[in-house]
Amino acid sequence: MSALRTGRRALLTAAVASVALAAPALAQDGPQIDHIHFLIGGGAGGGWDGTARGTGEALTAAGLVETATFENMSGGGGGKAIGYMIENANSLHDTMLVSSTPIVIRSLTGFFPHNFRDLTLIAGTIGDYAAIITNADSPYQTFGDLIAAFEADPSSVAVGGGSVPGGMDHLVAAMAFEAAGADPIALKYIPYDAGGAMNAALLSGEIAAGSTGFSEVVALASAGEIRVLGITATARVSALPDAPTFEEQGFDVDFVNWRGFFAAPGLPEDKVAAYRGVLAAMYDTAEWEAVRARNGWVNIHNSGDDFLAFLENQEQVIGDLMHKLGFL
Amino acid sequence: MLEGILLGLSTALSIQNLLMVTGGCLVGTFIGMLPGLGPMSIIAIMIPVAITVADPAAALILLAGVYYGAVFGGSTSSILINAPGVPSTVASSFDGYPLTRQGKAGKALTVAAIASFAGGTVGAILLMAFAPALVSVALLFHSAEYFALMVVGLSAIAAFAGKGQVAKATMMTLFGLILATVGESALFNAPRFTMGLMDLQSGLSFITLAMALFALPEAIYLVLDPKRSQTGGGKSGEIKELYITKAEARQIAPVIGRQSIQGFLIGVLPGAGATIASFLGYAVERNIAKGADQEAFGKGSLKGLAAPESANNAASTGSFVPLLTLGIPGSGSTAVLLGALIALNVQPGPRLMMDNPEVFWSVIISMYIGNVILLILNLPLIPYIAKVLALPRNYLVPFILFFTMMGSYIGQNNATELLILVGMGVFATILRFANFPLAPLLIGFILGQMMEDNFSRAANIADGASFLWERPMTLGMLIIALALIVLPTVRSRSGQPHKPKPPEGPTP
């Protein structure tokens, strides 16, 4: 019964949308896609998951795509899903893989036998700043306080994160510590399965601070459970205006974790164009704006060749940083 | 609070929401019966449907119904064909499947239904009464305590270390722990023991191993041992013992009572969940049981089935405490639910009760209603479900094989899983012929990864293993674990029944 209702509603929205988009649709043969299957290389509730589901929600609600399905395929820090895309490329023409900065990091460390060049690049769609957070009851009011405690006794300040050692959360924490003049190699980084588990550990007092994605902290910070010590944006973000940036505290930390979509290698050109088309059209919809604002994401749209250039630049920057920090 | 309960009642009891919870329970139960699709995947499948239901309370009620249905349905395949589809129903197969083989499938399903109902209901009541107060309990546990809790859970292997089996059970446990190290560990950030295979980088999958160790050897046994297959999948008279007797009800009532509470408390911990609760429940109840009662564990004890069933359902409810009060998901399934809530513009956390009281209370009330509906739906269905076993052997075996293969394939959509399944299945069958207990292997595998991660985190934070004796709660739980493992062995050696220990759950 509910399935029937969904169908009807989807049909209705599709009808409305096609009326609304009639003019441009005639011009460019329409950005309509029947179905997109989102492959998520990580567990439910994580950043990739939120990105894929949010994008799918906006695309279907705005009538750009009729139906969207989602599949979580955790493993190998996302490597399994990439391998799966490459191995089964011919049968995955309706599938888009969500990925982000870790695809670059893990290819650099050599854990992935593949890198982004082995997939079809669709587009980078959003960015998410990183944040260093602490328990709302903790004695650290500013990032400087945390650094002072660390300088006094490095082993007493454990910083948690939702990624493996050497992964993005660790990298961001090390960047921030280095920018503050502390030794990032002495930093005690504690890995958790996901941001949620790290937050629980933070609230329980197991770790002094946590390194995680900004969009993942908005809710808990608004609820007053955690305190944001710094975000890696260059200016405060409207989703959480109370969160200070590192820059305003005098630490030069500027980092954006991009998120975007990839497709199977060898995807036919018309499909590639259609995917890029719906993603580009998505930015103008109210549905996307609602999803974006709710999650505190930043629109950073890099489609096609721009995406390749962006990724190559990031590979360079992150690679240098990892060499400097001793991760490589 | 009374006002809130009334608000929740009026929301949850509307015709639309009753339909939602019933529909959710039905979908959840039936999909949950398929191995490979656990509550998490089913909820993820249902989220797009739920989001089209614009009312957040109704959508959440639907998803909650799906969740309970899935937890509930998951035990069916464990009991009937020894194919636990999710880790939390592994312990249910320890005694559930032996009961089936004794021709008591109907009775086993009835016990499971009643125990689940009681666990879920007690859980909902505790959630209603103590959710805000329990938050502090949830935050008492650090990685060190989680590690110790996993060790206590590991003591469930004692049930399989009967006479002359101690060495074999220990060997199998160690083997399970070894298998758990395949893939990436949290500590080293490098793939281990993968032989360069990408498919092994994230480790062996639970569902494949469970099917290979439990269901596959069972199906092969049905073929290789015709004598047993007569008692396994024989006459329709097999399912005559459908209902439990008064004496049996009296026997399992205290077990269900204890495990509903203990399971709930374990479920509240964000890092433990239904699996640990079911193993702990099994281990604790086996230790409390005396003499012949204790001997029966693992061989078709009603208590041994009731304990994990009430514990895992109560724990599933308990995992809503950190979700609803802190906004922190305590398990994979609640993490998916959190995603759904956010998509519905409901932000769980301490303000949920104030901002969206109708959501908070209607979810809790719908848990209760969901449990009642599950019981009403399932009790009359049991004879029909149990009839599956009355199928002739030449249909039953392919049916189990199909189920097994599908279960291990659909989890990851990866054909390599099938190769691993067959390889491990052959290996497991050989072990079974050599009379090695396979349950300890699976227990070791399930707990191994969590044990290692928590141990490495705790050791990292404490700069060494000193947390083992410096943290009183950790030390206490490790001593309990040691007692749970050593005492039964000593007792069976000396042949003199020891005075039973009081139930020692993880003291919050």
Side-chain angles (χ1 to χ4, degrees), chain B residues 453-506:
Chain B
D453 286 355
N454 282 300
F455 183 87
S456 62
R457 273 196 287 268
N460 207 341
I461 289 168
D463 286 320
S466 61
F467 68 90
L468 291 176
W469 53 88
E470 278 172 0
R471 296 182 65 91
M473 231 158 74
T474 308
L475 185 65
M477 279 192 286
L478 288 174
I479 291 172
I480 291 171
L482 198 69
L484 282 174
I485 296 170
V486 172
L487 277 184
T489 320
V490 173
R491 228 187 296 172
S492 71
R493 284 265 164 91
S494 65
Q496 199 176 23
H498 202 274
K499 202 167 171 269
K501 274 162 63 78
E504 295 201 66

Short mmCIF file of all heavy atoms in Angstrom, two decimals, chain B residues 453-506:
data_model
loop_
_atom_site.label_atom_id
_atom_site.label_comp_id
_atom_site.label_asym_id
_atom_site.label_seq_id
_atom_site.Cartn_x
_atom_site.Cartn_y
_atom_site.Cartn_z
N ASP B 453 39.48 -4.07 18.85
CA ASP B 453 39.36 -2.61 18.70
C ASP B 453 39.32 -1.92 20.05
O ASP B 453 40.00 -0.92 20.28
CB ASP B 453 38.10 -2.26 17.90
CG ASP B 453 38.26 -2.58 16.43
OD1 ASP B 453 39.38 -2.97 16.04
OD2 ASP B 453 37.29 -2.42 15.68
N ASN B 454 38.49 -2.46 20.94
CA ASN B 454 38.35 -1.81 22.23
C ASN B 454 39.62 -1.94 23.05
O ASN B 454 40.01 -1.02 23.77
CB ASN B 454 37.15 -2.38 23.00
CG ASN B 454 35.85 -1.80 22.48
OD1 ASN B 454 35.65 -0.60 22.53
ND2 ASN B 454 34.98 -2.65 21.97
N PHE B 455 40.27 -3.11 22.94
CA PHE B 455 41.51 -3.30 23.68
C PHE B 455 42.56 -2.31 23.19
O PHE B 455 43.24 -1.66 23.97
CB PHE B 455 42.02 -4.74 23.52
CG PHE B 455 43.27 -5.02 24.31
CD1 PHE B 455 43.19 -5.43 25.62
CD2 PHE B 455 44.52 -4.84 23.74
CE1 PHE B 455 44.33 -5.67 26.37
CE2 PHE B 455 45.68 -5.08 24.48
CZ PHE B 455 45.57 -5.49 25.79
N SER B 456 42.66 -2.18 21.86
CA SER B 456 43.72 -1.31 21.35
C SER B 456 43.44 0.15 21.69
O SER B 456 44.35 0.90 22.00
CB SER B 456 43.89 -1.51 19.84
OG SER B 456 42.73 -1.15 19.16
N ARG B 457 42.17 0.53 21.67
CA ARG B 457 41.84 1.91 22.06
C ARG B 457 42.19 2.15 23.53
O ARG B 457 42.83 3.15 23.87
CB ARG B 457 40.34 2.16 21.86
CG ARG B 457 40.00 2.62 20.47
CD ARG B 457 38.61 3.23 20.45
NE ARG B 457 37.55 2.24 20.55
CZ ARG B 457 36.97 1.68 19.50
NH1 ARG B 457 37.34 2.00 18.29
NH2 ARG B 457 36.00 0.81 19.66
N ALA B 458 41.76 1.20 24.39
CA ALA B 458 42.01 1.37 25.82
C ALA B 458 43.51 1.39 26.10
O ALA B 458 43.99 2.20 26.89
CB ALA B 458 41.34 0.24 26.60
N ALA B 459 44.25 0.51 25.42
CA ALA B 459 45.70 0.43 25.65
C ALA B 459 46.37 1.71 25.16
O ALA B 459 47.31 2.21 25.77
CB ALA B 459 46.28 -0.79 24.95
N ASN B 460 45.86 2.24 24.07
CA ASN B 460 46.40 3.46 23.50
C ASN B 460 46.19 4.64 24.46
O ASN B 460 47.09 5.45 24.68
CB ASN B 460 45.70 3.72 22.17
CG ASN B 460 46.54 4.52 21.21
OD1 ASN B 460 47.49 5.16 21.62
ND2 ASN B 460 46.19 4.48 19.94
N ILE B 461 44.99 4.70 25.02
CA ILE B 461 44.68 5.81 25.92
C ILE B 461 45.47 5.69 27.22
O ILE B 461 45.98 6.68 27.74
CB ILE B 461 43.15 5.84 26.19
CG1 ILE B 461 42.42 6.30 24.93
CG2 ILE B 461 42.83 6.76 27.36
CD1 ILE B 461 40.94 6.09 24.96
N ALA B 462 45.58 4.45 27.73
CA ALA B 462 46.25 4.27 29.02
C ALA B 462 47.75 4.09 28.86
O ALA B 462 48.44 3.85 29.85
CB ALA B 462 45.65 3.06 29.73
N ASP B 463 48.27 4.15 27.65
CA ASP B 463 49.69 3.93 27.38
C ASP B 463 50.14 2.57 27.88
O ASP B 463 51.17 2.46 28.54
CB ASP B 463 50.56 5.02 28.04
CG ASP B 463 50.45 6.32 27.28
OD1 ASP B 463 50.43 6.28 26.04
OD2 ASP B 463 50.34 7.38 27.92
N GLY B 464 49.36 1.56 27.64
CA GLY B 464 49.75 0.22 28.07
C GLY B 464 48.55 -0.55 28.57
O GLY B 464 47.42 -0.07 28.49
N ALA B 465 48.81 -1.72 29.11
CA ALA B 465 47.71 -2.59 29.52
C ALA B 465 47.28 -2.34 30.96
O ALA B 465 46.52 -3.11 31.52
CB ALA B 465 48.10 -4.05 29.33
N SER B 466 47.77 -1.25 31.56
CA SER B 466 47.48 -1.03 32.99
C SER B 466 45.99 -0.86 33.26
O SER B 466 45.54 -1.08 34.38
CB SER B 466 48.23 0.21 33.47
OG SER B 466 47.79 1.34 32.74
N PHE B 467 45.21 -0.51 32.23
CA PHE B 467 43.78 -0.31 32.46
C PHE B 467 43.11 -1.59 32.93
O PHE B 467 42.06 -1.57 33.55
CB PHE B 467 43.10 0.20 31.18
CG PHE B 467 43.05 -0.81 30.06
CD1 PHE B 467 41.97 -1.67 29.95
CD2 PHE B 467 44.08 -0.90 29.13
CE1 PHE B 467 41.91 -2.59 28.92
CE2 PHE B 467 44.03 -1.82 28.11
CZ PHE B 467 42.94 -2.68 28.01
N LEU B 468 43.73 -2.72 32.65
CA LEU B 468 43.13 -4.00 33.03
C LEU B 468 42.95 -4.12 34.53
O LEU B 468 42.01 -4.73 34.99
CB LEU B 468 43.97 -5.17 32.51
CG LEU B 468 43.98 -5.36 30.99
CD1 LEU B 468 44.92 -6.47 30.59
CD2 LEU B 468 42.58 -5.67 30.48
N TRP B 469 43.89 -3.57 35.29
CA TRP B 469 43.73 -3.66 36.74
C TRP B 469 43.48 -2.32 37.42
O TRP B 469 43.06 -2.25 38.54
CB TRP B 469 44.94 -4.37 37.38
CG TRP B 469 46.26 -3.76 37.00
CD1 TRP B 469 46.90 -2.74 37.63
CD2 TRP B 469 47.10 -4.13 35.90
NE1 TRP B 469 48.07 -2.45 36.98
CE2 TRP B 469 48.23 -3.28 35.92
CE3 TRP B 469 47.00 -5.09 34.89
CZ2 TRP B 469 49.26 -3.36 34.98
CZ3 TRP B 469 48.03 -5.17 33.95
CH2 TRP B 469 49.13 -4.33 34.00
N GLU B 470 43.70 -1.22 36.68
CA GLU B 470 43.50 0.08 37.32
C GLU B 470 42.07 0.55 37.28
O GLU B 470 41.66 1.38 38.09
CB GLU B 470 44.41 1.12 36.65
CG GLU B 470 45.82 1.06 37.20
CD GLU B 470 46.78 1.93 36.43
OE1 GLU B 470 46.34 2.58 35.46
OE2 GLU B 470 47.97 1.94 36.78
N ARG B 471 41.28 0.06 36.35
CA ARG B 471 39.89 0.50 36.29
C ARG B 471 39.04 -0.55 36.99
O ARG B 471 38.92 -1.68 36.51
CB ARG B 471 39.45 0.68 34.84
CG ARG B 471 40.20 1.79 34.13
CD ARG B 471 39.69 1.97 32.73
NE ARG B 471 38.31 2.43 32.69
CZ ARG B 471 37.98 3.71 32.65
NH1 ARG B 471 38.90 4.62 32.66
NH2 ARG B 471 36.72 4.06 32.61
N PRO B 472 38.43 -0.19 38.13
CA PRO B 472 37.74 -1.20 38.94
C PRO B 472 36.67 -1.97 38.17
O PRO B 472 36.55 -3.19 38.30
CB PRO B 472 37.10 -0.37 40.06
CG PRO B 472 37.60 1.01 39.93
CD PRO B 472 38.38 1.15 38.68
N MET B 473 35.90 -1.25 37.32
CA MET B 473 34.80 -1.93 36.63
C MET B 473 35.35 -2.94 35.64
O MET B 473 34.81 -4.03 35.46
CB MET B 473 33.94 -0.91 35.91
CG MET B 473 32.49 -1.06 36.24
SD MET B 473 31.58 0.44 35.95
CE MET B 473 31.48 0.53 34.20
N THR B 474 36.44 -2.58 34.98
CA THR B 474 37.07 -3.49 34.03
C THR B 474 37.56 -4.74 34.76
O THR B 474 37.27 -5.87 34.35
CB THR B 474 38.27 -2.80 33.34
OG1 THR B 474 37.82 -1.57 32.82
CG2 THR B 474 38.84 -3.65 32.25
N LEU B 475 38.27 -4.50 35.85
CA LEU B 475 38.82 -5.62 36.62
C LEU B 475 37.68 -6.52 37.10
O LEU B 475 37.75 -7.75 36.98
CB LEU B 475 39.63 -5.07 37.81
CG LEU B 475 40.35 -6.12 38.64
CD1 LEU B 475 41.43 -6.80 37.81
CD2 LEU B 475 40.97 -5.49 39.89
N GLY B 476 36.63 -5.89 37.62
CA GLY B 476 35.50 -6.68 38.14
C GLY B 476 34.91 -7.56 37.06
O GLY B 476 34.67 -8.76 37.28
N MET B 477 34.70 -6.99 35.88
CA MET B 477 34.07 -7.79 34.81
C MET B 477 35.00 -8.90 34.34
O MET B 477 34.54 -9.99 34.01
CB MET B 477 33.68 -6.87 33.66
CG MET B 477 32.37 -6.17 33.92
SD MET B 477 31.74 -5.37 32.47
CE MET B 477 32.81 -3.99 32.36
N LEU B 478 36.30 -8.63 34.32
CA LEU B 478 37.23 -9.67 33.89
C LEU B 478 37.22 -10.83 34.90
O LEU B 478 37.30 -12.00 34.51
CB LEU B 478 38.65 -9.10 33.75
CG LEU B 478 38.83 -8.18 32.53
CD1 LEU B 478 40.21 -7.55 32.54
CD2 LEU B 478 38.62 -8.96 31.23
N ILE B 479 37.09 -10.48 36.18
CA ILE B 479 37.04 -11.54 37.20
C ILE B 479 35.75 -12.37 37.01
O ILE B 479 35.78 -13.60 37.07
CB ILE B 479 37.13 -10.93 38.61
CG1 ILE B 479 38.54 -10.38 38.82
CG2 ILE B 479 36.79 -11.97 39.68
CD1 ILE B 479 38.73 -9.58 40.09
N ILE B 480 34.65 -11.68 36.74
CA ILE B 480 33.39 -12.40 36.50
C ILE B 480 33.55 -13.34 35.30
O ILE B 480 33.14 -14.49 35.33
CB ILE B 480 32.24 -11.40 36.23
CG1 ILE B 480 31.91 -10.64 37.52
CG2 ILE B 480 31.00 -12.12 35.72
CD1 ILE B 480 30.94 -9.49 37.32
N ALA B 481 34.19 -12.82 34.25
CA ALA B 481 34.38 -13.64 33.05
C ALA B 481 35.19 -14.88 33.37
O ALA B 481 34.84 -16.00 32.96
CB ALA B 481 35.07 -12.84 31.96
N LEU B 482 36.25 -14.70 34.13
CA LEU B 482 37.10 -15.82 34.51
C LEU B 482 36.28 -16.84 35.29
O LEU B 482 36.35 -18.05 35.04
CB LEU B 482 38.27 -15.29 35.35
CG LEU B 482 39.45 -16.24 35.47
CD1 LEU B 482 40.14 -16.34 34.11
CD2 LEU B 482 40.44 -15.73 36.52
N ALA B 483 35.47 -16.33 36.23
CA ALA B 483 34.65 -17.23 37.04
C ALA B 483 33.67 -17.98 36.16
O ALA B 483 33.47 -19.20 36.33
CB ALA B 483 33.91 -16.43 38.12
N LEU B 484 33.07 -17.27 35.20
CA LEU B 484 32.07 -17.91 34.34
C LEU B 484 32.70 -19.01 33.50
O LEU B 484 32.04 -19.98 33.13
CB LEU B 484 31.41 -16.87 33.42
CG LEU B 484 30.35 -15.98 34.04
CD1 LEU B 484 29.91 -14.91 33.04
CD2 LEU B 484 29.16 -16.77 34.50
N ILE B 485 33.96 -18.85 33.16
CA ILE B 485 34.61 -19.86 32.32
C ILE B 485 35.17 -21.00 33.18
O ILE B 485 34.99 -22.17 32.87
CB ILE B 485 35.73 -19.23 31.47
CG1 ILE B 485 35.13 -18.22 30.50
CG2 ILE B 485 36.50 -20.29 30.71
CD1 ILE B 485 36.14 -17.36 29.79
N VAL B 486 35.81 -20.63 34.28
CA VAL B 486 36.52 -21.65 35.06
C VAL B 486 35.58 -22.46 35.94
O VAL B 486 35.69 -23.69 36.00
CB VAL B 486 37.63 -20.98 35.91
CG1 VAL B 486 38.24 -21.98 36.87
CG2 VAL B 486 38.70 -20.40 34.99
N LEU B 487 34.64 -21.80 36.59
CA LEU B 487 33.80 -22.50 37.55
C LEU B 487 33.07 -23.72 36.98
O LEU B 487 33.15 -24.80 37.56
CB LEU B 487 32.77 -21.54 38.17
CG LEU B 487 33.28 -20.70 39.34
CD1 LEU B 487 32.15 -19.87 39.93
CD2 LEU B 487 33.89 -21.59 40.42
N PRO B 488 32.41 -23.58 35.83
CA PRO B 488 31.69 -24.75 35.31
C PRO B 488 32.63 -25.92 35.04
O PRO B 488 32.27 -27.07 35.27
CB PRO B 488 31.06 -24.24 34.01
CG PRO B 488 31.06 -22.78 34.13
CD PRO B 488 32.23 -22.42 34.97
N THR B 489 33.83 -25.59 34.58
CA THR B 489 34.79 -26.64 34.28
C THR B 489 35.20 -27.35 35.56
O THR B 489 35.18 -28.59 35.65
CB THR B 489 36.04 -26.02 33.62
OG1 THR B 489 35.61 -25.02 32.71
CG2 THR B 489 36.85 -27.05 32.91
N VAL B 490 35.54 -26.54 36.57
CA VAL B 490 35.93 -27.12 37.86
C VAL B 490 34.78 -27.95 38.42
O VAL B 490 34.96 -29.07 38.88
CB VAL B 490 36.31 -25.99 38.85
CG1 VAL B 490 36.55 -26.56 40.23
CG2 VAL B 490 37.52 -25.26 38.34
N ARG B 491 33.58 -27.39 38.31
CA ARG B 491 32.41 -28.06 38.85
C ARG B 491 32.19 -29.41 38.18
O ARG B 491 31.91 -30.40 38.85
CB ARG B 491 31.18 -27.17 38.61
CG ARG B 491 30.34 -27.01 39.85
CD ARG B 491 29.08 -26.27 39.53
NE ARG B 491 29.35 -24.90 39.08
CZ ARG B 491 28.40 -24.10 38.60
NH1 ARG B 491 27.16 -24.55 38.47
NH2 ARG B 491 28.69 -22.88 38.22
N SER B 492 32.34 -29.42 36.86
CA SER B 492 32.08 -30.69 36.18
C SER B 492 33.20 -31.70 36.46
O SER B 492 32.98 -32.89 36.48
CB SER B 492 31.93 -30.47 34.68
OG SER B 492 33.17 -30.15 34.11
N ARG B 493 34.41 -31.17 36.74
CA ARG B 493 35.52 -32.05 37.09
C ARG B 493 35.26 -32.70 38.44
O ARG B 493 35.36 -33.90 38.63
CB ARG B 493 36.82 -31.25 37.17
CG ARG B 493 37.40 -30.91 35.83
CD ARG B 493 38.46 -31.95 35.42
NE ARG B 493 38.75 -31.85 34.00
CZ ARG B 493 39.71 -31.08 33.50
NH1 ARG B 493 40.49 -30.40 34.30
NH2 ARG B 493 39.90 -31.01 32.20
N SER B 494 34.90 -31.84 39.42
CA SER B 494 34.73 -32.36 40.77
C SER B 494 33.43 -33.15 40.87
O SER B 494 33.27 -33.95 41.79
CB SER B 494 34.71 -31.21 41.78
OG SER B 494 33.58 -30.40 41.54
N GLY B 495 32.53 -32.93 39.92
CA GLY B 495 31.29 -33.69 39.91
C GLY B 495 30.34 -33.31 41.02
O GLY B 495 29.34 -33.96 41.25
N GLN B 496 30.70 -32.26 41.77
CA GLN B 496 29.84 -31.85 42.88
C GLN B 496 29.18 -30.53 42.53
O GLN B 496 29.87 -29.55 42.25
CB GLN B 496 30.69 -31.69 44.13
CG GLN B 496 29.86 -31.72 45.39
CD GLN B 496 30.76 -31.66 46.63
OE1 GLN B 496 31.89 -31.20 46.59
NE2 GLN B 496 30.25 -32.14 47.73
N PRO B 497 27.85 -30.48 42.53
CA PRO B 497 27.19 -29.23 42.16
C PRO B 497 27.57 -28.09 43.10
O PRO B 497 27.50 -28.22 44.32
CB PRO B 497 25.70 -29.55 42.26
CG PRO B 497 25.57 -30.96 42.66
CD PRO B 497 26.92 -31.52 42.95
N HIS B 498 28.00 -27.04 42.52
CA HIS B 498 28.41 -25.87 43.26
C HIS B 498 27.19 -25.04 43.60
O HIS B 498 26.19 -25.10 42.89
CB HIS B 498 29.37 -25.06 42.38
CG HIS B 498 30.26 -24.13 43.15
ND1 HIS B 498 29.88 -22.89 43.50
CD2 HIS B 498 31.52 -24.32 43.61
CE1 HIS B 498 30.88 -22.32 44.16
NE2 HIS B 498 31.88 -23.17 44.24
N LYS B 499 27.28 -24.27 44.65
CA LYS B 499 26.17 -23.37 44.96
C LYS B 499 26.08 -22.33 43.82
O LYS B 499 27.08 -21.73 43.45
CB LYS B 499 26.42 -22.65 46.28
CG LYS B 499 25.13 -22.14 46.90
CD LYS B 499 25.35 -21.72 48.35
CE LYS B 499 24.14 -21.02 48.90
NZ LYS B 499 24.15 -19.57 48.73
N PRO B 500 24.88 -22.15 43.28
CA PRO B 500 24.79 -21.23 42.13
C PRO B 500 25.14 -19.80 42.54
O PRO B 500 24.81 -19.35 43.63
CB PRO B 500 23.32 -21.34 41.71
CG PRO B 500 22.61 -21.88 42.90
CD PRO B 500 23.59 -22.73 43.64
N LYS B 501 25.81 -19.13 41.62
CA LYS B 501 26.15 -17.72 41.84
C LYS B 501 24.95 -16.84 41.54
O LYS B 501 24.12 -17.18 40.72
CB LYS B 501 27.27 -17.32 40.88
CG LYS B 501 28.64 -17.61 41.38
CD LYS B 501 29.63 -17.59 40.23
CE LYS B 501 29.71 -16.22 39.58
NZ LYS B 501 30.50 -15.25 40.30
N PRO B 502 24.86 -15.71 42.21
CA PRO B 502 23.78 -14.78 41.86
C PRO B 502 24.03 -14.22 40.46
O PRO B 502 25.16 -14.23 39.98
CB PRO B 502 23.90 -13.69 42.93
CG PRO B 502 25.31 -13.78 43.43
CD PRO B 502 25.72 -15.20 43.27
N PRO B 503 22.98 -13.76 39.81
CA PRO B 503 23.17 -13.22 38.45
C PRO B 503 24.08 -12.01 38.51
O PRO B 503 23.86 -11.08 39.26
CB PRO B 503 21.75 -12.82 38.02
CG PRO B 503 21.01 -12.66 39.30
CD PRO B 503 21.61 -13.61 40.28
N GLU B 504 25.13 -12.07 37.73
CA GLU B 504 26.05 -10.93 37.74
C GLU B 504 26.15 -10.33 36.35
O GLU B 504 26.99 -10.72 35.57
CB GLU B 504 27.41 -11.36 38.24
CG GLU B 504 27.34 -11.81 39.69
CD GLU B 504 28.69 -11.76 40.36
OE1 GLU B 504 29.21 -10.65 40.50
OE2 GLU B 504 29.21 -12.82 40.71
N GLY B 505 25.24 -9.49 36.07
CA GLY B 505 25.30 -8.78 34.80
C GLY B 505 26.36 -7.69 34.94
O GLY B 505 27.03 -7.61 35.96
N PRO B 506 26.50 -6.87 33.95
CA PRO B 506 27.43 -5.77 34.07
C PRO B 506 26.83 -4.76 35.02
O PRO B 506 25.85 -4.10 34.69
CB PRO B 506 27.49 -5.22 32.65
CG PRO B 506 26.20 -5.65 32.03
CD PRO B 506 25.73 -6.85 32.74
#
